[in-house]
Amino acid sequence: MRIESVTAHAFGPLHERTLPLAPGLTVVSGANESAKSSWHAAIRAALCGDPSMRHRPWEGEAWRVAATVSLESGEVVAVDRDLNADLAPDGSRWVGLDRLSFAATACVDQAQLLTVLDAANGLQDHLRRAAATAGTDGTVEQALQRLTAPVDALRDARNRLREAETDLAVAQREHTRYLGLSAKARSAAAARARLAVQEHAASLESISTRVARLNELQERFGDSPPSGLAAQEELTHLVNRALAAWRAAPTPRVLPGPSAEALANELAALPDFPVGETALDDELRVVASAYATASAVAAAHHERRPSPRTNADPSVLRGIATRLDPAAGGRLTTASIDVDTARQYQDEAAANAARTQVEADVAAARVQEIALPNPFLRNALLALSCLTSLVGVLLFLTGQQLAAMGVLVAALVAGVGGAMSRGNAAQRESAVTFAAERTAIATDARAVLFTADRTLAEAEGQRAVAAEAARIHDEALAECASLGVPADRETLWRLANRPAWEAEHADLVTEVARTEKAIRVELATRGKVDAAMTVPDLLVDYETDCKVRARQASMAAQRPLLAQTLADRHLAEATVAEATAAHTRALDLLREAVSAIGGTGDRPEDLLRAIAEWQRGWDRQLREAEDERNAWAELQSLIASGTLDDLEATHSAAQTHHATLLEAAARYAACDAVDPSLASSADSLAATVAELARTSPSVPDAEEAVATATAVLAEVTAEVEAIDLASRYLTAAREKVHSTIAPALENTLRTWLPSVTDGRYVDAAVDPSTLTVRVCAASESWHQASHLSLGTAEQIYLLLRVALAQHLATEPCPLLLDDVTVQADDARTRAVLDLLLQLSADRQIVLFAQDAAVAEWAQERLGERDLLHQLTPVAA
Amino acid sequence: MKLLLFADLHLDTRFPSAGPERRQALRDTLGHIVDLAQESDVDAMLCAGDLYEHDRCSPSTAEFLRSSFDCPVPVFLAPGNDDWYGPASVYQQVDWTPNVHVFSSGSMTPVELADGVTLWGAANVGPGPARDVLDGFAVNRGGVNLALCHGSAPDDVAITGLDHAFLGHVHTPEHATDYTFPGNPDPLTPGETGERGAVLCTVNEDGSVSREVFDVSASRSLGWMDSEKTFPLLDFDTVAAERTVRGQFVRDVLADPSLDMALRGRVLSAGLRALEER
């Protein structure tokens, strides 16, 4: 960008004046009061606006500057700026700056120069500031120092949040306590109100009862006392006496059993004691028993009489009986079966023996077939093998290897032959063992066959014996048939013994006759003589007589007992007659009493019922009379404590009070049933609730305090995070920018330094981390720029300003220098002016100076691309 | 029949800012509602729950409610989930004047508003989420049947046989054919939309309801509307164009995708402020 011209239409002392500017170096020279500073300010104002108020026009209200600017693109822009209402754009934007950074970058005045040159780290600080903010604000280092986390604020915020949370917990706890106590106080108040209603209800009920009672009693009695009962004691006595007599009278007893008359008749009908035996006599019993035994024995013997009759000789009969053997047939059958079994067994044993014998013979033949091994040949071959081996070894040791090999081969052959000469020894041994086993089995089989033969012989012998017995039995049967007697051994024996039976039977008949005679004698002595009747019938007749007499004796023995019973009966019947008489008298008294009280009835129960009814009525009358007396006494008592009007007034007041209590209790209708014991604590609970209500902190206030403290803490925390991030971003940005700006500064210094210092300094370096500038002398020694002479430092500073302007601006930016040489001597001034002239080769430089030497230098050195304005003092 | 409906006043609730003033404004709002009820000569005033907040109610709330509703207009209150009915609730601590009826049962209970007009009401009877008292409920009488409850699903109204339900719990107002959510009459949260306030409901003989909304808010005109605090992000283009450390810093911060808008603004502000201070 290049400023073609600036026109001050109205700016400070300047009025409609134009200052053309050269594309190279423009020197504006003038003494004091020649409006140099105003032109300097006017150029800045024309480009960027926003001038200081001290540059307002000295006359008139208009405040206006204009400029013509050529841009790098070739565009020419005219800026006309009404500074009273500035709407024109900021011209510094065309070079990528703003009015502040333009002032810091493009404008250099003496004060800046002195500050940079005088301060120890002025140059470095300036570079840092320029790199950081284009010189408008602080350095990054200063900013980083300021970016410290607000630790105290963070701690305070946390503490405030903790306190707020604690307060909230307290408030919520108190609130919950308040609600609970309020409910309890409410319940207590409800209990008290209900209790008051309950208690007053009882009192009201009492008063109501008294009023009603007084009304009732007054209506009942008026002013007269009750009359009482009429005298009826006589009737009462009569009734009571009758009742006492009735209760004392015994109830007549109904006697059970036969009457005295029946007993007397029964006593008269009893028989006398009988004469004769009333039970069977013992002697007779013995004789009768002997007779019965003898008769029974004879009858039984007769039952065993031998039958049928036969004429055979008893010895013949006994022989037949001896030969009869009914079991002979069965034994024969059994023996035959045994023979068959033995024979079968014997056949099997014979076959087995034959077979095992054949096998034994075969085994023996096999043994014979296998030749016997020769133990001598085997031993001889083995010995020969050992011997030849030994010889072979000796030959080998003596070095006759060939011979030794031959001998050893022979030894090997002999050893193999000896080993193989054992042959069929094992086979023969197993054959011998097998043959021995077969022989043993054959021997066992023959032993079994012998046993079977013997068993068969024994069975056949038994069968022969059985066949003989059967034959004899058959012969005896044939004899029985011929004799006509049964073939029964026992019958035959009895028939053979018939004479002995007959003799024994005669003895028995004799004994029967003897005992019959004896018993007939005994019965005859007792009056039982009847030869036509048998002894048993006589005995039955006699026993019947004994039983009849025993019965008569038993009846006669009851006579004393019956006489006593009759006497007792007479006494009991007399007692019953006396009780009946007393009962009748009492019944008469009852009837008399019932007719006296006006009742009716004849039977005792009717009479008693009538008396009971009369007594109940009488008791009621007595109670009524008593009630009357008590009621009268109660009336007198009630009247004594107040009149009816007084009582009704009290009742009305109580009713009113009760209605009030009910209304109060109705306020607590929503309360559930509560413990009446709470009523006593109603006041204290109400006071506690009131105190709690006064002192309880507000829950929403506490919640809002927590919310506020939370927000503050979040804010501070975010600020801490932002500060931390800003520090890191700034540090990173510094590294980036310094890494680009440091080479730019170095390049500028390297380009210009040798020429502007006449070769005293040939190189320069800028530290990217600290932006420290060092220069290299021709002697190749490095020096910090700030340590150089003022003149050199001034040159380096101006070079750096140019480099900075070039780096920070997006296109070449004009430099406005205001009296930068005012403090320098002539040599320094000329050196600076020479430098500026060189620098103006590729950028526009405007230099304001009041020093006459500058004007002289300009007249001497400026070329075609440059311009000198010599200002005259402005009239006041 | 005219009824003045409101709900979700949330007395004693908390606010992000100006809490005490706004809580007082809530009480003033209730005063406006009662005044409106008397001026409009309504037959009853209905509150569909969340009249106050049980967990935060101040000791003075009970007396305030008692005195506020001490007026000639019948008042029907259906406790909600924030002002649930129970032994420790304010509803039981207040000696209500005879014109106030508090529904205290967890199931729908009828009250005869006028001949042939029944108001059914129920309470939330314990802490916890709002309960749908209309679930399983069915009208068992003739005439016009209205309901007053808190937290019920409006979809249930159609199958209960009710002519209209006055509901609370949903703060965004909704005026449907068979139900009305009046919304909170005084602002509670930022960004509330919809015309809300006390709703003057006219119940016609056929059970239909026509509505008119009255702004009764005492705080809306006071400008206490909370808004979400946002960090102003300035135009940093000029600074970012600088070939300085400051410009590089701004460019880096603006280019970092890991930073959210607020943190980015904070970082830029902190860094530039640190550079500016000399």
Side-chain angles (χ1 to χ4, degrees), chain A residues 302-328:
Chain A
H302 186 262
E303 288 295 320
R304 291 197 303 275
R305 184 179 67 242
S307 177
R309 285 186 173 279
T310 180
N311 295 324
D313 189 76
S315 59
V316 173
L317 292 174
R318 289 191 192 95
I320 294 171
T322 304
R323 289 197 304 276
L324 277 174
D325 185 1

Side-chain angles (χ1 to χ4, degrees), chain A residues 784-802:
Chain A
Q784 281 210 5
S786 57
H787 295 167
L788 301 177
S789 66
L790 280 178
T792 308
E794 200 171 51
Q795 291 170 325
I796 291 173
Y797 171 71
L798 289 174
L799 286 174
L800 291 174
R801 288 300 302 263
V802 170

